[in-house]
Amino acid sequence: MKIAILGAMPEEIDPFIVEIPTQIDYYAGNKFYKAEFAGHELFIAYSKIGKVNAAITATLLIEKFKVEALLFTGVAGALKDNFKIGELLYATKLAQHDLDISAFGHPVGYVPGNEIFVNTSKKLNKIAVKTAKDLGLTLKSGVIASGDQFICDDDKKAWIAKTFGADAVEMEGASVAQVCSAFKVPFFIMRAISDVAGHKAEIDYDEFMENSAKTSADFVLKMIEKI
């Protein structure tokens, strides 16, 4: 099976490149790493930050490299106080919090022809839950909201949480979800929590990124062994 592994930043895919031998294909201004693992053909890439970059890369992975499933990992900020820094969250569904034509009477996050929320793959989510159990890790589920903004204002966070019932916020997932849904490619989106709602906890972000990326990579590779 051809499986895509996608992150937004180089740090989020580096552990995969270290863990398994890869070769590089350059296309459309980006690098796509190819590898063999657990009987599957892997295509690994980082999209660069933001919904447009993520949508372009996801589309290329599907159209050019013909992937049959897509696994996305990265970090997100929690919008509710039941999360701890470093915990893993997988999306059950995603929405774009910055998509707004409400002036025409539509709900925020909606445009004609699309739904507000895009659901992730139940099959891949079940594999993730089994993987977490096998690894002894806590894996929570919830709604993720995406937008081309780094959200640090508490009032904005509260609005996103209330409007979409969202548990976490980031900058790429919903666009990847829309692409995969359009092409009918099953997908899984997991985020490590980098900051917690209502708290200003100081962390060494470089150290956090390195540790969370390694944990996420180990998790995804274990998932792939079960696919």
Side-chain angles (χ1 to χ4, degrees):
M1 185 176 187
K2 293 184 177 182
I3 301 173
I5 298 173
L6 182 61
M9 297 181 286
E11 297 89 342
E12 293 169 345
I13 68 164
D14 281 348
F16 296 103
I17 309 307
V18 171
E19 191 76 19
I20 49 181
T22 59
Q23 64 183 57
I24 304 174
D25 191 347
Y26 295 89
Y27 190 77
N30 209 343
K31 296 179 185 178
F32 295 84
Y33 298 86
K34 299 179 182 180
E36 300 287 335
F37 181 79
H40 299 289
E41 194 174 357
L42 306 185
F43 296 85
I44 307 164
Y46 72 91
S47 62
K48 300 183 284 289
I49 293 169
K51 291 192 301 176
V52 173
N53 285 325
I56 290 170
T57 308
T59 301
L60 290 174
L61 285 164
I62 294 168
E63 282 288 271
K64 178 175 174 56
F65 298 103
K66 308 301 180 185
V67 302
E68 301 161 90
L70 188 150
L71 312 178
F72 189 104
T73 68
V75 299
L79 297 175
K80 298 178 181 177
D81 59 9
N82 59 328
F83 291 96
K84 298 177 182 177
I85 290 175
E87 283 190 320
L88 298 176
L89 166 72
Y90 74 87
T92 54
K93 58 183 180 180
L94 301 98
Q96 298 180 63
H97 67 75
D98 61 347
L99 182 57
D100 186 354
I101 58 168
S102 57
F104 297 96
H106 297 294
V108 177
Y110 172 82
V111 294
N114 292 336
E115 300 293 333
I116 294 176
F117 294 99
V118 181
N119 296 317
T120 54
S121 166
K122 290 182 179 180
K123 180 179 179 180
L124 292 175
N125 291 343
K126 286 181 180 179
I127 293 172
V129 171
K130 178 66 166 59
T131 300
K133 184 178 180 181
D134 291 348
L135 293 174
L137 292 174
T138 298
L139 177 65
K140 296 183 176 180
S141 63
V143 178
I144 292 179
S146 307
D148 284 319
Q149 306 160 352
F150 182 82
I151 306 297
C152 55
D153 178 78
D154 287 340
D155 289 340
K156 183 70 170 180
K157 287 182 178 181
W159 177 85
I160 294 170
K162 181 180 179 181
T163 303
F164 298 95
D167 297 280
V169 64
E170 36 88 307
M171 298 180 67
E172 297 86 21
S175 61
V176 172
Q178 187 170 335
V179 168
C180 290
S181 178
F183 286 103
K184 295 180 170 49
V185 170
F187 66 99
F188 169 79
I189 294 180
M190 184 176 73
R191 295 293 197 171
I193 299 300
S194 59
D195 57 274
V196 181
H199 297 275
K200 302 295 183 183
E202 293 185 3
I203 62 171
D204 183 325
Y205 194 76
D206 290 339
E207 182 180 354
F208 168 80
M209 280 295 299
E210 182 178 350
N211 291 338
S212 67
K214 180 66 168 63
T215 299
S216 296
D218 290 344
F219 188 100
V220 166
L221 292 177
K222 286 293 182 183
M223 268 190 74
I224 290 171
E225 291 177 353
K226 300 179 187 299
I227 294 176

